[in-house]
Structure formats: C-alpha cells, structure tokens
Amino acid sequence: MVREITVGNAVFGGGRPLVLIAGPCAIEEEGLTLRIAEFLKRLTSDLGIGLVFKASYDKANRTSVTSFRGPGIEEGLRILERVKRDFDVPVISDVHDLSQVAPAAEVLDILQIPAFLSRQTDLLVAAGETGRVVNVKKGQFLAPWDMRNAVGKIESTGNRQILLTERGASFGYNNLVTDMRSLVIMRETGCPVIFDATHSVQLPGGAGTSSGGQRQYVGALSRAAVATGIDGLFWEVHENPDKALCDGPNSLPLGDVPKMLKEILAIDAIVKESN
C-alpha cells in the first residue's frame, strides 16, 4: 500500500485524487511567477485537487554556460515564499548541494533532488535530516528498482516522507523514453509516485546550446501514466513557452492546461474507483 503524504492542502498517495505539481521551469521574474501561480491555484481549486507550485531558483544543470539559470537562491526563495503566502499553496524547488539544503528547507515544503543527483548520498541524507518532504527524481541512467537505494538513504534519517518521480530514461542521441512499468515498480517501495510528463518529452541538448522538446506528446504520456494509478503529475507551464527562458520547448501553454487536466482527472477517477 502506498503511504499518504500530506503537504499543505495536497495529499499524495493512499488512493487519493491526483495532485498537480506545476509551474514554470525557472523563476524568470516575480510578476510572471505570481500570475502563473494564481492561474494554477484558481484552476485546481475549481477542480477540487491539490496543487504544489514548482519553480527553480537556480537551474544548475543547463546545456550551455550561457543558459539562463534563474535569480539565485536568495531572491528565488523570497519569491517562492511570497507565492506560498499569497496563494496558500505549498512550494517545491531543487537543491543542488549541501549549502542549499538548510536555507531552502526554511521556505520549501518539498525539497527536490534533481535527476542527475539522485545517487548523491550526502545530499539525500541532508535533505532527509530536514524533516521536509523529499521528492527524488529518478536519474535518466537508473532502473526503477534502483530507487530503493535512494529511498533507503533518506529513510536512514528517520524521514519517510518521500516522493519518487519518473522523468524518462536516456535513449541516447538527445532523446528520452518513458517505460510505464517504471511507475508501477517504484510504487512498490510504498512511496507515492509522480510522473514528470514535460521533462519526459525533453530532448536534452537537442537544440545545440539548449534542450529541445516535443510538448505535443505531453497529453498522451500524461494520460497513459495516470492510467497506471500514479499519485501526482508534474508539468512545466508558461504563459508563452516559445519565449520562455528555460525549457520552453517542453513546457505547456497555460491555455492548454484546463482541458488537458480535466480529461486526465476523469481517467484518474476511474482508475482509483476501481482499486
């Protein structure tokens, strides 16, 4: 049985309705961030589902040294704290090294371990020791059963508030593939499982000095993942993805989100009613 993990008004696992984790890839500027948060809060409230707002204060793993990374930890956490306060919504962002863990834990409701750092023992343990919920993205290089080791590292601190996220496996030549079996296998750990649909259609480094993406497949992959009985869905969204400073090609336009989410929630309801 998958355990329940409560984060603000959102409840992951335990057969509860799907939780949406969504927001822009990176914090570009405060006004845009607040508008996206307001849109998502209103939509998820109308649909009766939980929301966790995501945005990165620093994208440390970028294709090029000139790529936009975000405002940095101090300014980024200030903006995320405002989102949390103004819209009464929990917030999540990445931590990349040990120095970020303590200040991030003062603001963030969920500490996220990026996929490329999912084997970093010291980082996993430090995140666990904060007592915050920890979301570990499965490395593109890992098999789903390998995530038991990441779970064990965090649980060694006494913290069992762990989410696991699938974001595609490296297929080489700037491509990722998603094996839906991974979602089922990772849920066998007892941890709620999230599907990161927008990063699963990313083409890492596919645009030369930046990553490409195939956002036209986000809906299809999301529907397939939700049909397996997952606990949450992770989407990067933007007012104008073609002008986004980070991950635009794999981000969803805000205008596409309501219809797509309603269709997906209908699938989620059928799956969870049958279990």
Side-chain angles (χ1 to χ4, degrees):
M1 181 65 178
V2 171
R3 69 190 67 148
E4 281 191 8
I5 295 178
T6 300
V7 187
N9 294 324
V11 183
F12 295 89
R16 298 295 192 100
L18 195 74
V19 174
L20 180 66
I21 301 176
C25 172
I27 298 171
E28 296 181 16
E29 53 92 12
E30 188 167 356
L32 174 65
T33 304
L34 295 174
R35 290 195 303 273
I36 294 174
E38 182 178 21
F39 176 92
L40 293 170
K41 174 66 175 183
R42 184 170 61 250
L43 175 63
T44 53
S45 294
D46 289 346
L47 295 174
I49 63 169
L51 170 69
V52 177
F53 183 81
K54 66 84 50 189
S56 293
Y57 51 77
D58 179 22
K59 300 293 293 186
N61 174 35
R62 297 304 312 276
T63 303
S64 167
V65 70
T66 61
S67 296
F68 176 77
R69 291 182 53 164
I73 187 168
E74 184 174 344
E75 175 67 0
L77 288 176
R78 183 193 67 79
I79 293 171
L80 287 172
E81 188 168 38
R82 182 175 176 189
V83 168
K84 181 176 178 177
R85 181 182 67 249
D86 288 2
F87 302 108
D88 189 27
V89 61
V91 293
I92 178 175
S93 195
D94 296 318
V95 290
H96 299 94
D97 60 52
L98 297 181
S99 69
Q100 295 182 355
V101 173
E106 292 181 5
V107 174
L108 303 179
D109 300 277
I110 305 177
L111 302 179
Q112 184 162 279
I113 307 298
F116 280 121
L117 299 176
S118 56
R119 283 174 53 101
Q120 295 295 102
T121 301
D122 290 347
L123 186 60
L124 290 163
V125 169
E129 287 175 339
T130 67
R132 290 294 196 183
V133 176
V134 182
N135 180 37
V136 187
K137 288 199 169 184
K138 180 176 75 64
Q140 301 91 327
F141 46 87
L142 292 178
W145 43 83
D146 292 333
M147 292 301 283
R148 291 187 179 277
N149 294 318
V151 171
K153 291 173 182 180
I154 298 168
E155 287 186 339
S156 72
T157 70
N159 187 344
R160 299 184 73 248
Q161 297 191 97
I162 305 164
L163 307 171
L164 301 179
T165 295
E166 171 61 59
R167 56 138 304 151
S170 179
F171 198 60
Y173 297 98
N174 308 116
N175 206 357
L176 299 169
V177 296
T178 301
D179 181 356
M180 294 297 167
R181 295 176 301 175
S182 171
L183 302 168
V184 179
I185 293 167
M186 289 199 295
R187 288 183 96 240
E188 292 172 356
T189 64
C191 300
V193 167
I194 317 301
F195 178 56
D196 181 349
T198 46
H199 279 109
S200 292
V201 300
Q202 189 182 60
L203 301 175
T209 58
S210 62
S211 291
Q214 299 173 317
R215 75 171 74 101
Q216 67 267 33
Y217 300 123
V218 169
L221 287 180
S222 296
R223 291 190 292 272
V226 170
T228 70
I230 58 171
D231 308 287
L233 198 57
F234 185 111
W235 284 348
E236 290 192 330
V237 301
H238 197 278
E239 288 182 342
N240 187 348
D242 291 335
K243 293 187 176 181
L245 300 181
C246 178
D247 276 8
N250 56 266
S251 295
L252 288 173
L254 285 182
D256 291 353
V257 171
K259 182 177 183 292
M260 190 180 295
L261 188 56
K262 289 174 186 176
E263 293 172 349
I264 284 166
L265 289 175
I267 297 171
D268 183 61
I270 292 169
V271 171
K272 287 173 181 168
E273 285 171 5
S274 65
N275 288 336

